[in-house]
Amino acid sequence: MSIRLLDVLKHSTLTPADPVIRASAAIAAETQLRWIHSSEVLDIAPLLGGGELLLTGGQALASATDKRRIGYIWELAERGVAALAIETGAALPSIPSSMVSAAQAAGLPLVELRKQVPFVGVMEAINSLLVSESAGQLQQADQTSHAMAVELAHGSSLDRVLAVLADATGSEVVLTSTAGVTLASALPAGHSEEAQAGQSQNDAPAGAGQDHVRDIHVDVAVRGIPSARLTLFVRGEADVNLARIAGSRSVDILALALLQRMPPGLKEMAGAALIRAVDSGTQNWRLQQLAPAAGIAVYAQLVAVVVRSAGSRQIRTNVEHLLDRVGQHSVSYADNAELLALVALHPDNVQEDRNAIVAGLQSIAAAEGIVSAVGPVASGISTAPWSLTEARLTLELAADGGPGRARPGQSGAALDAEAFAVERLAFHSLGEGLRTDFVRQQLGAVLDYDAQRRSLLVETLRVWLDSGCNTAQAARELHLERQSMHQRLQRIFSLCGGDPRGTGRLAALHLATRLVRLPGPVTSGLNQGAQQATSATLPVRG
């Protein structure tokens, strides 16, 4: 008998905490637990295995930004954590509504513990029960993997091997390649009429009730290279923990089956290995060794692409089709909610290819809500890690309020690292103190005016300078009448020493407006009210 969340909330060690479910209550009754863990660390998700009830005292959440709190919820949900319980009190009087909304959207049961209880006592009591249960699940999982090995030894198809796992766990089982192609699938005995149910129910909103399908993902590596993904769609009363354990125990059998029947293409394997090497900062000789095997010339002109999305397999397919269509050759690798790619550009059309990639990603972003960034052109595989680093930095700069550009988290966005060249240079080369001093020297009076009046003169100046001092264009982008735009400019000129056009001050002012919103103390001259007004009033620009 599986131990469920509601059972634990009614346990004598936890009832003194006066628990109440704040989000995803509809699926709490069927949420099964594998373990109970406690931590105040916000970056805990990668260290969890899925199926845990995570207890936290809320101290770290109390001092975290709202963006980090929401990210914490999504990271736990994507890791397969069963539920999150937050203790409220002096440090965190209540659970922020943004976290409640995120947990509801992610399908993560969120519990408020309104009184203090010793977490150690709770974990000792409940985990002892879970250990007893897991012993039986481990035995069943080992029997299942043995039966799968027998089927494989007798030459059965991949579908038949997966059918053993499906019958044992009561789950629909699908094995896909890293490119998203279905290699094999199976339904548990007696469920043939539901052949399409798993995927459709899995796409249903969180909290769909008794028919809610929970999916478990297990990566399958062949010779150390991720080559396939096993997904178990667990329905209704089926044991989620058994499915998780049995799926993990079947990895070696499935890897052997892939080697015997359909070994991954060498280029696909080399491409995944190449991107992982670029991402991890592997030595140059290793990159030069892997690139030709992946179909990329050592001295090719290439760009790195980073796509962040918790979306469907179809998004990856759309992105890969775009990169293959535009570039000379591309390789990609998906890691959790991040897709990394390297694209070799045609030597005679380097800039045109790169522009087409940015434009194509913008179309996908608008349709799918993804966030992506295209790095600068790298001359040869040796500098590919630099292009990847700059693409990621561009995403971070935009997320921290980059100057007027589309922000991840607000809507789909495809960002061009070249459009952030000034910010990237300043981030790498200028310390926070130097940036702060420079901005204050150039824009001090305007910053003070904005802080006192809650006005938007600094942002107005930046948009005007970005437009090439084109007053009409800047007015359109800011949704202002031309007369209002002229009035703002006159006020700005009076504060910063006159009209900068035709003087050597123009470049310095432009640089200052670009640096003013980089992360760090540069923004100390802007009060929070003015910054919030800027974010709420100005249109998002791609």
Side-chain angles (χ1 to χ4, degrees):
M1 180 67 180
S2 299
I3 297 178
R4 301 177 183 272
L5 176 61
L6 291 186
D7 299 328
V8 170
L9 296 183
K10 295 175 183 177
H11 193 272
S12 60
T13 61
L14 204 52
T15 51
D18 194 15
V20 59
I21 301 174
R22 296 300 188 192
S24 297
I27 64 172
E30 63 186 42
T31 297
Q32 301 172 19
L33 301 184
R34 182 182 64 83
W35 197 249
I36 296 188
H37 185 73
S38 71
S39 176
E40 298 302 313
V41 178
L42 296 185
D43 295 324
I44 190 66
L47 303 180
L48 301 176
E52 297 92 348
L53 166 60
L54 180 62
L55 308 175
T56 181
Q59 289 88 347
L61 289 169
S63 59
T65 64
D66 202 47
K67 174 185 173 184
R68 184 66 192 95
R69 292 168 179 165
I70 295 172
Y72 174 68
I73 292 290
W74 281 102
E75 288 165 9
L76 295 179
E78 290 164 4
R79 194 65 177 173
V81 170
L84 172 66
I86 302 174
E87 187 178 80
T88 53
L92 188 72
S94 62
I95 299 177
S97 60
S98 59
M99 294 186 69
V100 175
S101 298
Q104 186 68 37
L108 176 70
L110 180 61
V111 180
E112 180 182 358
L113 306 178
R114 294 178 286 186
K115 296 180 181 177
Q116 288 188 350
V117 291
F119 286 173
V120 172
V122 174
M123 291 188 294
E124 286 179 347
I126 305 300
N127 284 338
S128 63
L129 300 175
L130 292 169
V131 166
S132 300
E133 181 192 20
S134 65
Q137 294 167 338
L138 284 169
Q139 185 177 14
Q140 287 182 265
D142 286 340
Q143 292 171 349
T144 301
S145 63
H146 177 72
M148 293 172 70
V150 170
E151 289 289 345
L152 182 61
H154 285 83
S156 298
S157 66
L158 263 175
D159 287 338
R160 182 55 212 151
V161 173
L162 289 183
V164 175
L165 181 60
D167 288 342
T169 61
S171 308
E172 179 183 355
V173 182
V174 181
L175 185 68
T176 56
S177 71
T178 54
V181 177
T182 300
L183 303 176
S185 62
L187 286 161
H191 288 73
S192 59
E193 72 279 7
E194 298 176 14
Q196 302 300 320
Q199 187 62 46
S200 61
Q201 289 186 34
N202 188 53
D203 292 337
Q210 191 63 34
D211 293 333
H212 178 64
V213 175
R214 291 141 293 175
D215 52 293
I216 296 169
H217 302 288
V218 182
D219 289 329
V220 180
V222 176
R223 293 174 178 168
I225 298 174
S227 304
R229 169 166 281 195
L230 175 69
T231 303
L232 296 92
F233 298 100
V234 188
R235 295 186 181 86
E237 295 296 319
D239 192 329
V240 176
N241 294 329
L242 173 61
R244 183 180 289 108
I245 295 170
S248 298
R249 291 297 178 101
S250 69
V251 165
D252 291 340
I253 303 300
L254 295 175
L256 181 58
L258 289 173
L259 273 175
Q260 289 182 354
R261 287 168 171 73
M262 44 183 62
L266 291 178
K267 277 193 175 182
E268 183 180 4
M269 295 174 67
L274 174 63
I275 294 183
R276 291 170 68 202
V278 168
D279 189 28
S280 62
T282 299
Q283 293 181 337
N284 183 43
W285 66 266
R286 179 61 173 159
L287 300 181
Q288 294 188 0
Q289 183 183 64
L290 288 170
I296 292 182
V298 171
Y299 298 107
Q301 301 286 297
L302 48 87
V303 293
V305 175
V306 180
V307 179
R308 291 178 180 169
S309 170
S312 69
R313 203 179 294 149
Q314 185 61 37
I315 293 176
R316 178 178 181 180
T317 301
N318 292 342
V319 171
E320 289 177 337
H321 285 170
L322 165 68
L323 301 182
D324 286 338
R325 185 177 69 252
V326 174
Q328 194 173 40
H329 185 67
S330 69
V331 293
S332 62
Y333 174 69
D335 182 15
N336 294 324
E338 190 172 73
L339 174 66
L340 307 179
L342 287 178
V343 189
L345 308 174
H346 293 93
D348 297 331
N349 298 286
V350 171
Q351 198 55 53
E352 291 85 347
D353 284 356
R354 190 177 179 283
N355 291 343
I357 291 172
V358 174
L361 286 173
Q362 185 60 61
S363 297
I364 296 174
E368 304 285 356
I370 67 169
V371 177
S372 60
V374 180
V377 177
S379 297
I381 194 64
S382 299
T383 53
W386 165 73
S387 182
L388 179 60
T389 297
E390 297 302 296
R392 280 205 173 112
L393 176 59
T394 298
L395 286 172
E396 298 309 317
L397 292 173
D400 284 320
R405 295 165 178 82
R407 296 186 190 178
Q410 289 184 334
S411 60
L415 306 174
D416 184 350
E418 295 295 2
F420 285 75
V422 168
E423 291 82 4
R424 291 189 291 111
L425 176 64
F427 184 86
H428 289 305
S429 304
L430 298 178
E432 292 178 347
L434 287 174
R435 297 203 305 264
T436 300
D437 290 344
F438 181 79
V439 169
R440 291 298 307 178
Q441 289 164 11
Q442 302 300 321
L443 296 174
V446 186
L447 287 169
D448 292 340
Y449 187 94
D450 275 350
Q452 295 166 7
R453 306 293 183 89
R454 296 179 60 85
S455 58
L456 305 173
L457 296 188
V458 171
E459 184 66 7
T460 300
L461 177 60
R462 185 197 62 75
V463 173
W464 180 67
L465 291 169
D466 278 354
S467 72
C469 304
N470 187 321
T471 303
Q473 180 180 333
R476 286 194 298 272
E477 293 193 32
L478 293 170
H479 300 302
L480 292 174
E481 297 292 336
R482 291 190 64 177
Q483 184 61 33
S484 298
M485 183 69 193
H486 281 292
Q487 290 174 353
R488 284 196 187 184
L489 288 176
Q490 291 306 311
R491 173 63 65 183
I492 292 168
F493 295 162
S494 69
L495 291 169
C496 63
D499 190 335
R501 287 174 289 191
T503 74
R505 297 180 54 250
L506 190 68
L509 282 174
H510 198 179
L511 177 59
T513 62
R514 298 283 289 268
L515 299 185
V516 73
R517 296 182 67 179
L518 282 183
V522 169
T523 58
S524 60
L526 285 169
N527 66 16
Q528 290 185 350
Q531 285 185 303
Q532 292 169 356
T534 301
S535 300
T537 305
L538 292 177
V540 173
R541 301 169 55 226

